[in-house]
């Protein structure tokens, strides 16, 4: 059947195309207006990536489907053959993934900017050796997770929507260098983690307790605490 589409096809190429028979992604791609012969020829062209980016033809189909979905999201003209059949599918898909993330971050950053003034007023704090401030952008959260090797980047959308608050704990002498990351939810500290999710050192813990008393406790509780100390 495939040799009728591509005359002189080698058995090696025929075996690659076995994955196309009754494949879910073939059906998905046909919905975009791509014919089966076009799918066969394009998969053969991209099969040079098998062993490098893909394990088989089915993975080529999956990435192609995902790439075309990205193109729709980015409002690219998928009726154009140049867009629909990129010369190097892997590279084209990596570009659209990056563009989608940038677009997503722009939306999230707008949401974060709307919250930032309130967050600074509510949480910004400095006491001797350390400072605390809210995360200012999605990029900052991603960098924080990368440099401290923890999972705060997963909290980007939750933070932007106000589901939780993410604060950066910094040394006053290195205000731009990731040090500890704190999550606050419903007025309580959920966690405060450093490099590779390490726990707080005694000096950081002492600073966080001062922050908690000054910024998170209600005035009545603070007054009571002072009265207990006085007694």
């Amino acid at each position: 059947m495939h040799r009728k589409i591509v005359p002189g096809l080698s058995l090696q190429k025929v075996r690659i195309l076995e994955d196309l028979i009754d494949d879910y992604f073939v059906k998905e791609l046909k919905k975009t207006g791509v014919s089966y012969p076009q799918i066969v020829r394009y998969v053969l062209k991209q099969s040079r990536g098998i062993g490098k980016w893909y394990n088989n033809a089915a993975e080529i189909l999956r990435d192609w489907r995902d790439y075309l979905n990205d193109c729709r999201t980015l409002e690219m003209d998928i009726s154009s053959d140049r867009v629909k059949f990129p010369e190097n599918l892997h590279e084209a898909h990596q570009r659209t993934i990056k563009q989608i993330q940038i677009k997503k971050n722009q939306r999230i950053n707008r949401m974060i900017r709307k919250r930032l003034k309130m967050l600074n007023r509510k949480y910004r704090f400095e006491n001797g050796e350390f400072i605390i401030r809210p995360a200012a952008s999605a990029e900052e959260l991603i960098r924080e997770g990368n440099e401290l090797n923890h999972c705060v980047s997963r909290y980007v959308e939750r933070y932007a929507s106000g589901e939780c608050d993410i604060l950066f704990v910094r040394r006053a002498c290195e205000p731009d260098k990731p040090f500890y990351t704190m999550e606050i939810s419903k007025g309580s500290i959920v966690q405060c983690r450093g490099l590779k999710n390490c726990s707080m050192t005694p000096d950081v813990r002492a600073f966080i307790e001062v922050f908690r008393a000054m910024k998170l406790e209600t005035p009545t509780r603070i007054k009571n605490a002072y009265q207990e100390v006085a007694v």
Side-chain angles (χ1 to χ4, degrees), residues 46 49-56 59-60 62-63 89-90:
Q46 300 304 317
I50 293 177
K52 186 176 182 181
W53 302 307
Y54 312 111
N55 291 314
N56 49 50
E59 291 188 2
I60 295 173
R62 180 203 61 204
D63 268 23
L89 175 62
H90 174 75

Side-chain angles (χ1 to χ4, degrees), residues 22-23 66 73 84 105 107 110 122 127 132 138 149-150 158 181 192 198 201-202 204 219 226:
D22 198 34
D23 186 273
D66 292 347
T73 301
K84 191 180 293 184
N105 284 357
R107 174 182 61 83
R110 286 195 295 270
K122 187 175 182 180
N127 186 16
I132 285 180
N149 196 17
H150 59 36
R158 290 179 58 202
T181 315
C192 185
C198 71
T201 58
V204 171
Y226 279 126

Side-chain angles (χ1 to χ4, degrees), residues 6 49 57 73 92 96 111 114 138 151 161 195 222:
V6 183
T73 301
T96 58
M111 294 169 68
K114 287 181 180 179
C151 62
S161 66
L195 183 64
I222 293 172

Side-chain angles (χ1 to χ4, degrees), residues 118-207:
M118 177 275 294
L119 290 170
N120 271 306
R121 185 174 62 252
K122 187 175 182 180
Y123 293 124
R124 195 170 187 94
F125 183 68
E126 183 170 352
N127 186 16
E129 188 180 351
F130 304 110
I131 61 175
I132 285 180
R133 68 169 178 85
S137 67
E139 290 77 13
E140 274 201 337
L141 283 164
I142 292 167
R143 179 193 169 214
E144 187 89 352
N146 289 340
E147 295 203 17
L148 294 181
N149 196 17
H150 59 36
C151 62
V152 73
S153 59
R154 297 178 188 173
Y155 290 68
V156 170
E157 292 196 67
R158 290 179 58 202
Y159 174 57
S161 66
E163 188 177 336
C164 68
D165 296 329
I166 303 296
L167 308 179
F168 295 157
V169 181
R170 299 282 194 258
R171 293 187 184 278
C173 61
E174 297 177 310
D176 297 321
K177 183 178 180 180
F179 183 46
Y180 275 82
T181 315
M182 182 162 61
E183 177 192 359
I184 293 179
S185 180
K186 297 178 181 178
S188 297
I189 296 173
V190 177
Q191 58 183 327
C192 185
R193 300 289 181 177
L195 183 64
K196 296 181 180 179
N197 276 316
C198 71
S199 299
M200 292 179 280
T201 58
D203 56 345
V204 171
R205 187 178 298 279
F207 169 70

Side-chain angles (χ1 to χ4, degrees), residues 1 7-8 12 35 175 197 218 220:
M1 180 185 72
Q12 181 184 10
S35 68
N197 276 316
T218 63
T220 301

